[in-house]
Amino acid sequence: MGLTVDHLQVCYRTLRGDVKAVDDVTFSIEDREIMGLAGESGCGKSTLGNSLVRMDVRMRQLGGHVELDGKELPISDSRAMRDFRFKEISIVPQYAMSALNPTRRVGRMVAELLKARGFDYKSALPELERRVKLVGLDADILKRYPIELSGGMKQRVVMVISTLLNPSLLIADEITSALDVSTQRAVGEMLLEFRDRNFVKTTMVITHDLSILAQVADTILVMYAGKLAEKAKADVVINNPLHPYTQLLISSLPDVGIRHDEHTLVGIPGRPPPLLNPPVGCRFRDRCPFAFDRCTDEPPFVEVKPGHSVACWLHADGALPSGGV
Amino acid sequence: MTVLKTDEAAEKAGAPDAAVSAGSGKPRRFEFLYFALRNKKLLLGLSVVVLFVLFAVFGPLFVQHPMLNYYIPFRPPSSSFWFGTNYFGQDVFSEFVSGLRESLLVGLLGGCGATVIGMTLGFVSGYKGGLIDEALNVLCNIFLTMPVLVLLILVAGFLHHTSGLIEGILIACTTWTWSMRAIRAQTFSLVSRDFVGLARLSGEKSRQIIMREIAPNMSSYLLLVFILSFGGAILTAASLDYLGLGPTNGMSLGIMMQQASDWNSLQLHLWWWFVPPGAAITCIVGGLYLANVGLDEVFNPKLREL
Amino acid sequence: MRRYLVRKLIIYILTFFVAATIDWILPRLVSGNPISILLSKMSLQPGTYNATYKLYMNAFGFNRPWWKQYLTFWTALFHGNLGISIYQFPKPVTSVIADYVLFTLALLIPAILLAYFAGNRVGAMAARRKLLDNSVLPVSYLLTATAYPWLALLLAFLFAAGGIGHFFPISGGFSYGLLPSWNWTFIWSLVTHWFLPFLTLFLVAFGGWAIGMRNLIIYELESDYTHYLEALGAPTRLVRRYAYRNAVLPQLTGLALSLGMVVGGAVVTEVTFAYPGLGYLVFQAVGNNDYFLLQGIFLFIIAGVLIANFVIDIVYVIVDPRTRVGISGA
């Protein structure tokens, strides 16, 4: 069944007005699929991921809806969402290094959380310890305080905690950006392993780092300035991207699979448009080497080849009749 | 990411260190002004303080009964004696006006002095680090644990003659610790930044780096520290004056309360003698604290309410 | 953990050393000789002044080289000898202090602790709850902005001098007619005399704690571990419990830092209510130029504050696991 996101619009409310960080986004993830969500920072990918789990007080859902396993997710109702969190939908947050309460032993925190959610820690403990060992940690880290764990250890502990209840959807938000190359690979392996062992059904990997997606993702969705730019199988996006933005993104990588840091995307001149008052038409227009007069109209996000959708006038004419995803 | 960083502020609700990078670049300044003019706490707090300052400046114009003239005692507030008269028949309003001036001046002196001392030591400590920092930090901790008012009482007790100037200096010399703590911590975080490292590499002198690179980048923070020191100094001075250890000659809000207490205003129900000075202190210091909170919100986007 | 406490202890010992040195230098810097003041109080017979002066100068050691005086000062200090009070001549300073210290402790300890706990609770409740916040916060700001003498005068006027009623006595530690003894009349008298000074100290400190806790809780509720808990569907109760628990730690540091301030407030409050504690005694000592007493009380208060600081440090180590596992982990 997986996840279906339909015409989702989420904005950030600021004093100067609403910032539409997620603008009319439609996609779905199949069961057992790992989908990568890529784009530069500020493109709305984290907002999209977070809005599916926990809306910030500044966030508002303007429209659209989300379904998980055929059930509607009440994402703008924080109270109603509470039942879904952890059990059905879970997140490994960007800030995994500081996600654990510094004054609680790891195990005690998990125990208190489980108890508050109506689960029994004692009966969950064997499985928890098994998984902790599975990710290569010693079971006695549960008796330690977060300050006693290294960054990589915390990352893995958080991954184990987040997936403890075997959620349908796991959102992994920039889980590799704070790690070194070898640990990044290991975390990638863990994502695959978690999927293979059915700890999670569907996974959404949010990152600005395409190399990790090349390693783990089945499909890749590229976002630009709050909108969808391109979606296809991972190898298609990496080897034969259609959207000029994706092409530039890929070509700016030194080599897929090699780690590259924050300077990765410097290759594309210019900046994304402000989302407070986005320009009409294609949002990539100003930076696009192929821009032409038609780009002043907004390009639709359409399927141009089976399983390959793109929002660009260069390819719109070849759109398959059905459209959509 | 460095180049492409645009609306990250919107996505992540603002850089946490915006307070520190205040004053860099014009658009920022205008942005602060924009938020400042819309911050109710800042506007309310500031207007209360400004009101009292204006009152202290222009108050003497409204004084109809000089402080040293004696009229009928125990008179409640009326149209001719706005704040009534005291035990001796002096006009409480005229006392209030000169007391307010003295208290504001002493507070300003103490607050400025404490900020300057705290700033200097904080900059040096945070910038130099190492042994100097260790020594200054120990010094700071020593004065931080000492009960300031008791220390001041001890010092003032040995001085036979005090003036507002001496009082202000004494307060500055004993209360700088709070500002130093705050500024030291901020300097630490600034020193590790690129632009300071660049200035160091280019061979600028420490003093120049502090004055040119560090101080301007925390001007907003310094303002906050000063406001708190100012309010604190007014309160400390009031207590000291109340104990009879303030200016030997002259009037202050604390001295008014001392005299009111000494001359049985409680038993005689001369509430108009001690209510105005204390209320004025509460309003001024409360206004300063409120303005501080407001400014904090202006400088630090994270705290801005929607 | 041991490192942490030892470091603190060294700072406290240094503080005491500095305070004692200030205490010793001040009277020697300032004009006006304590001995001549002492003698002027003694109404000596004419002609005996010079002889007595010499006697006392010798006795107090003012005519010896300064370093010898300084050494003598410390030796005396280690023997618990703070000199002779002039104001209550010839009582030793230590026994004068002993008469007053219990009243101060009875005032300070409940005021500090109750204000701390109540302020923290109320501040935590107010955080992120609009209605409560809008009432608690302004009141708290007004309270912290209030000068101790004014609040003391106001409370005395309203509740003791008949502004609203004569509910409490206006001055003293107990009624003059009573002799200290353990019967209910006396205890009741103690309580009624104690209440208003206590309330003064309580209220001002309460405001500070409430504001501090409110801000810290809001900060904790914005922290990553809170967001993670919420993302895992933790109920508000658990989230708040964690936030409170973590916000208490900086508040505990604040408690140690606030001690000096509260002691200052106690001086003013005790003076207003003529409450026979150390603050009132300090005031009397200044008024009577009783330098030995003044110096003695100063050292005594410093010592008390330092001891209280150390107690708080120990509590902190118990409460914050990070100081225990400390650097050894990671």
Side-chain angles (χ1 to χ4, degrees):
Chain A
M1 303 265 252
L3 172 84
T4 315
V5 173
D6 191 23
H7 296 289
L8 183 66
Q9 284 186 308
V10 178
C11 74
Y12 262 103
R13 305 217 307 177
T14 70
L15 278 178
R16 284 176 294 174
D18 288 355
V19 175
K20 269 195 197 171
V22 175
D23 198 350
D24 198 19
V25 165
T26 301
F27 65 91
S28 61
I29 314 178
E30 302 295 314
D31 275 355
R32 302 189 55 76
E33 178 181 339
I34 296 182
M35 187 194 85
L37 181 58
E40 47 202 329
S41 62
C43 74
K45 57 187 194 304
S46 276
T47 310
L48 173 58
N50 283 320
S51 71
L52 299 180
V53 188
R54 191 191 72 94
M55 286 258 201
D56 206 291
V57 279
R58 294 173 293 264
M59 278 155 70
R60 288 285 176 280
Q61 182 188 6
L62 296 181
H65 47 92
V66 181
E67 262 179 31
L68 183 64
D69 296 337
K71 275 177 288 179
E72 170 95 23
L73 275 184
I75 59 166
S76 57
D77 181 351
S78 202
R79 241 168 228 287
M81 273 302 287
R82 208 174 278 162
D83 283 339
F84 289 92
R85 292 178 190 150
F86 202 12
K87 284 190 231 170
E88 307 282 325
I89 179 165
S90 198
I91 188 169
V92 178
Q94 215 167 355
Y95 48 79
M97 303 300 147
S98 52
L100 299 169
N101 184 350
T103 60
R104 279 281 192 274
R105 293 177 203 275
V106 175
R108 185 158 170 214
M109 188 221 123
V110 177
E112 285 172 337
L113 177 65
L114 284 175
K115 196 176 156 229
R117 292 299 309 272
F119 294 93
D120 183 34
Y121 180 61
K122 278 234 175 75
S123 48
L125 188 59
E127 181 63 16
L128 177 63
E129 284 180 340
R130 197 171 73 86
R131 292 190 185 185
V132 165
K133 281 179 201 146
L134 182 71
V135 297
L137 295 172
D138 205 35
D140 76 37
I141 57 119
L142 294 176
K143 296 196 187 79
R144 300 227 213 136
Y145 288 99
I147 192 184
E148 298 173 278
L149 307 179
S150 72
M153 288 161 96
K154 279 187 243 182
Q155 178 82 51
R156 280 178 277 173
V157 168
V158 168
M159 283 181 74
V160 168
I161 295 175
S162 289
T163 54
L164 188 60
L165 300 180
N166 297 349
S168 267
L169 171 66
L170 177 72
I171 292 164
D173 191 0
E174 299 281 10
I175 52 170
T176 55
S177 30
L179 303 172
D180 59 76
V181 192
S182 55
T183 326
Q184 274 187 6
R185 287 230 141 244
V187 167
E189 305 281 340
M190 275 165 63
L191 282 177
L192 293 169
E193 173 122 30
F194 277 25
R195 191 256 312 263
D196 296 341
R197 288 177 180 261
N198 279 326
F199 292 174
V200 294
K201 246 192 265 173
T202 51
T203 311
M204 188 165 147
V205 182
I206 301 172
T207 183
H208 64 273
D209 181 359
L210 284 161
S211 64
I212 181 77
L213 294 186
Q215 184 196 347
V216 302
D218 301 312
T219 49
I220 295 179
L221 180 60
V222 179
M223 272 183 87
Y224 183 78
K227 294 236 170 224
L228 296 186
E230 183 161 12
K231 189 193 174 196
K233 292 260 172 264
D235 56 325
V236 178
V237 167
I238 285 168
N239 298 321
N240 293 306
L242 292 181
H243 198 288
Y245 173 63
T246 319
Q247 288 168 356
L248 284 167
L249 210 57
I250 302 288
S251 68
S252 69
L253 302 181
D255 193 2
V256 172
I258 288 179
R259 194 190 185 248
H260 36 77
D261 56 16
E262 298 172 359
H263 301 289
T264 306
L265 305 178
V266 170
I268 310 177
R271 291 156 161 268
L275 293 180
L276 190 62
N277 286 306
V280 286
C282 176
R283 292 185 178 177
F284 190 57
R285 198 175 65 217
D286 290 345
R287 296 165 79 188
C288 183
F290 312 109
F292 60 113
D293 35 349
R294 211 173 160 189
C295 296
T296 49
D297 292 331
E298 190 173 321
F301 186 67
V302 287
E303 193 167 20
V304 292
K305 287 177 199 164
H308 194 165
S309 305
V310 67
C312 180
W313 287 120
L314 290 173
H315 307 282
D317 297 332
L320 299 175
S322 60
V325 185
Chain B
M1 270 216 297
T2 37
V3 178
L4 301 167
K5 192 171 173 177
T6 50
D7 249 328
E8 209 166 30
E11 195 173 32
K12 288 182 191 155
D17 50 10
V20 168
S21 50
S24 55
K26 265 188 183 161
R28 264 265 147 98
R29 276 223 174 116
F30 285 122
E31 192 193 11
F32 286 148
L33 198 64
Y34 174 91
F35 286 114
L37 291 176
R38 273 159 192 77
N39 191 299
K40 281 184 200 138
K41 289 173 194 153
L42 176 61
L43 291 182
L44 179 67
L46 209 61
S47 31
V48 171
V49 175
V50 168
L51 209 70
F52 274 99
V53 170
L54 288 179
F55 189 71
V57 174
F58 298 106
L61 300 176
F62 301 101
V63 171
Q64 293 153 331
H65 312 282
M67 203 163 74
L68 293 174
N69 285 11
Y70 295 86
Y71 305 90
I72 303 166
F74 307 157
R75 268 212 242 173
S78 65
S79 56
S80 61
F81 293 93
W82 293 344
F83 286 6
T85 59
N86 66 15
Y87 188 89
F88 311 102
Q90 287 164 297
D91 179 26
V92 177
F93 181 76
S94 69
E95 282 191 321
F96 179 77
V97 171
S98 30
L100 182 64
R101 294 169 78 108
E102 177 82 16
S103 288
L104 281 176
L105 280 177
V106 171
L108 201 62
L109 188 65
C112 279
T115 312
V116 168
I117 299 175
M119 203 168 82
T120 317
L121 295 183
F123 280 154
V124 171
S125 190
Y127 181 78
K128 289 277 182 189
L131 214 62
I132 294 178
D133 173 49
E134 190 72 20
L136 286 176
N137 195 26
V138 167
L139 185 74
C140 178
N141 277 317
I142 286 174
F143 277 89
L144 212 53
T145 31
M146 258 193 233
V148 166
L149 192 71
V150 183
L151 181 63
L152 284 174
I153 291 172
L154 183 75
V155 176
F158 284 110
L159 297 174
H160 295 290
H161 183 88
T162 336
S163 66
L165 183 71
I166 296 178
E167 189 182 21
I169 292 172
L170 282 181
I171 290 175
C173 289
T174 42
T175 55
W176 52 268
T177 44
W178 302 91
S179 28
M180 176 184 161
R181 250 168 74 99
I183 291 165
R184 173 174 170 264
Q186 283 290 319
T187 310
F188 262 135
S189 72
L190 272 182
V191 162
S192 56
R193 300 282 191 84
D194 291 348
F195 59 89
V196 176
L198 201 67
R200 265 185 176 167
L201 280 180
S202 61
E204 276 191 75
K205 285 198 184 104
S206 302
R207 206 160 57 123
Q208 278 176 330
I209 295 177
I210 290 175
M211 298 301 274
R212 278 195 208 146
E213 311 289 340
I214 297 179
N217 274 297
M218 48 194 279
S219 52
S220 60
Y221 198 78
L222 293 175
L223 184 62
L224 296 182
V225 167
F226 166 69
I227 289 178
L228 288 182
S229 305
F230 184 23
I234 292 178
L235 287 179
T236 310
S239 286
L240 213 51
D241 292 353
Y242 178 75
L243 294 174
L245 300 169
T248 320
N249 305 310
M251 186 47 69
S252 79
L253 297 179
I255 294 175
M256 276 179 82
M257 290 193 279
Q258 181 213 2
Q259 293 184 345
S261 167
D262 281 0
W263 296 96
N264 296 327
S265 67
L266 294 178
Q267 289 83 349
L268 297 167
H269 286 206
L270 303 178
W271 55 265
W272 51 86
W273 197 359
F274 64 83
V275 168
I281 290 174
T282 304
C283 289
I284 296 169
V285 177
L288 285 171
Y289 287 174
L290 198 64
N292 179 65
V293 177
L295 271 180
D296 207 11
E297 287 174 3
V298 170
F299 291 136
N300 190 350
K302 256 195 165 173
L303 299 174
R304 282 177 202 153
E305 281 175 22
L306 287 170
Chain C
M1 165 176 142
R2 181 166 296 163
R3 230 179 81 108
Y4 174 82
L5 286 182
V6 165
R7 202 189 136 81
K8 288 279 186 180
L9 203 59
I10 291 174
I11 289 194
Y12 296 148
I13 291 171
L14 265 176
T15 309
F16 187 79
F17 178 77
V18 170
T21 308
I22 293 177
D23 209 24
W24 176 82
I25 289 178
L26 268 177
R28 286 164 176 81
L29 279 181
V30 181
S31 59
N33 184 330
I35 301 293
S36 35
I37 290 162
L38 175 66
L39 294 194
S40 69
K41 294 229 163 188
M42 290 171 71
S43 58
L44 296 166
Q45 300 210 328
T48 56
Y49 184 89
N50 278 342
T52 328
Y53 183 81
K54 259 188 196 153
L55 185 78
Y56 274 91
M57 282 297 270
N58 270 325
F60 286 111
F62 278 123
N63 48 1
R64 279 181 292 165
W66 66 267
W67 58 269
K68 265 193 178 163
Q69 291 183 32
Y70 190 58
L71 280 182
T72 325
F73 167 78
W74 275 104
T75 340
L77 213 56
F78 278 121
H79 288 95
N81 179 7
L82 296 172
I84 305 287
S85 165
I86 301 168
Y87 156 64
Q88 298 195 5
F89 190 81
K91 233 177 162 181
V93 165
T94 38
S95 67
V96 178
I97 290 176
D99 290 345
Y100 287 76
V101 69
L102 278 181
F103 280 94
T104 288
L105 290 179
L107 199 57
L108 276 178
I109 292 175
I112 291 172
L113 292 182
L114 285 176
Y116 181 74
F117 287 113
N120 279 346
R121 284 280 160 202
V122 172
M125 279 195 283
R128 282 285 153 79
R129 292 194 179 116
K130 263 242 147 77
L131 262 167
L132 196 60
D133 200 18
N134 284 344
S135 55
V136 168
L137 201 60
V139 172
S140 300
Y141 268 108
L142 277 184
L143 285 176
T144 33
T146 302
Y148 280 105
W150 192 54
L151 191 61
L153 284 174
L154 214 55
L155 290 177
F157 171 69
L158 293 177
F159 302 111
I164 290 178
H166 296 273
F167 309 120
F168 299 97
I170 198 164
S171 71
F174 50 87
S175 301
Y176 288 113
L178 296 175
L179 282 173
S181 58
W182 288 114
N183 60 47
W184 287 113
T185 335
F186 184 72
I187 291 171
W188 181 244
S189 171
L190 279 179
V191 170
T192 50
H193 282 82
W194 166 87
F195 185 74
L196 285 181
F198 157 80
L199 191 64
T200 310
L201 291 176
F202 173 83
L203 284 176
V204 175
F206 172 86
W209 296 126
I211 295 170
M213 194 52 162
R214 173 211 177 253
N215 293 343
L216 282 169
I217 290 275
I218 289 180
Y219 176 81
E220 294 292 332
L221 289 180
E222 276 297 310
S223 68
D224 289 343
Y225 72 84
T226 303
H227 287 165
Y228 186 55
L229 273 181
E230 285 173 347
L232 297 185
T236 320
R237 205 162 20 88
L238 183 66
V239 170
R240 283 205 167 243
R241 204 170 82 211
Y242 277 15
Y244 184 81
R245 160 92 192 193
N246 290 354
V248 157
L249 298 174
Q251 286 286 81
L252 208 51
T253 314
L255 181 64
L257 292 176
S258 78
L259 288 176
M261 216 106 81
V262 185
V263 168
V267 175
V268 172
T269 310
E270 287 179 7
V271 167
T272 308
F273 291 97
Y275 193 77
L278 285 183
Y280 182 69
L281 189 61
V282 132
F283 182 69
Q284 295 298 328
V286 173
N288 292 293
N289 286 320
D290 191 342
Y291 295 138
F292 294 109
L293 187 56
L294 189 56
Q295 285 176 285
I297 301 171
F298 178 68
L299 275 188
F300 195 83
I301 289 178
I302 295 271
V305 168
L306 293 179
I307 290 169
N309 261 288
F310 196 61
V311 170
I312 294 173
D313 287 334
I314 292 171
V315 173
Y316 194 96
V317 168
I318 294 169
V319 181
D320 188 350
R322 283 168 295 184
T323 52
R324 269 174 286 147
V325 294
I327 316 114
S328 58

